[in-house]
Amino acid sequence: DVQLQASGGGLVQTGGSLRLSCAASGFTFDDYAIGWFRQAPGKEREGVLCISIKDSSKYFASSVRGRFTISSDNAENTVYLQMNSLKPEDTAVYYCAAFRARDPANWRVVYYCNDWTRYNDWGQGTLVTVSS
């Protein structure tokens, strides 16, 4: 079974940094895309960054570009979300999620990681609070 374990949330002041981790197990890491989503109070969940493990292609939403980065440690099956220059509007519950990006019917086909509707395996959320 696919398992995703997100951790690293906490309280930080405006301008501070946090690193979230998403530990994955139960699937072939290279075949998957891992995405980070967030849901702020009273708002819909949104995809903010993702990485396709096989080719390390990445996507960043405009709201976080230049401040957040995503990386993977393939030996540890872990994806990291480094958040710098945090703002109060970054306050949210952050989730990591996964989907099989390499098409099982055609191994040459790898779907873009920012196809947010494809994510079907989810970890529990971790709360990030940025104080002003």
Side-chain angles (χ1 to χ4, degrees):
D1 289 350
V2 173
Q3 293 192 357
L4 300 165
Q5 182 75 31
S7 61
L11 173 64
V12 64
Q13 292 185 332
T14 295
S17 298
L18 276 176
R19 189 177 80 158
L20 306 184
S21 300
C22 177
S25 62
F27 58 95
T28 303
F29 198 57
D30 280 2
D31 288 343
Y32 275 67
I34 306 292
W36 284 98
F37 295 73
R38 67 184 181 185
Q39 187 165 20
K43 295 189 177 181
E44 292 188 357
R45 186 171 61 195
E46 63 171 342
V48 290
L49 309 93
C50 60
I51 183 169
S52 178
I53 302 300
K54 181 62 178 177
D55 62 4
S56 297
S57 60
K58 301 171 185 178
Y59 171 84
F60 304 83
S62 58
S63 58
V64 303
R65 193 171 294 132
R67 301 187 299 121
F68 291 12
T69 59
I70 188 170
S71 62
S72 68
D73 182 336
N74 293 5
E76 297 293 331
N77 283 12
T78 300
V79 170
Y80 299 100
L81 170 56
Q82 178 66 45
M83 304 185 292
N84 299 326
S85 302
L86 282 160
K87 306 175 182 180
E89 52 264 42
D90 295 317
T91 294
V93 177
Y94 284 72
Y95 300 88
C96 63
F99 77 93
R100 185 185 174 107
R102 178 180 282 188
D103 191 318
N106 184 347
W107 62 271
R108 290 186 175 87
V109 175
V110 180
Y111 297 105
Y112 289 117
C113 74
N114 62 327
D115 189 345
W116 305 119
T117 62
R118 290 186 179 273
Y119 286 86
N120 52 13
D121 290 293
W122 294 82
Q124 89 293 353
T126 185
L127 176 63
V128 172
T129 304
V130 184
S131 63
S132 57

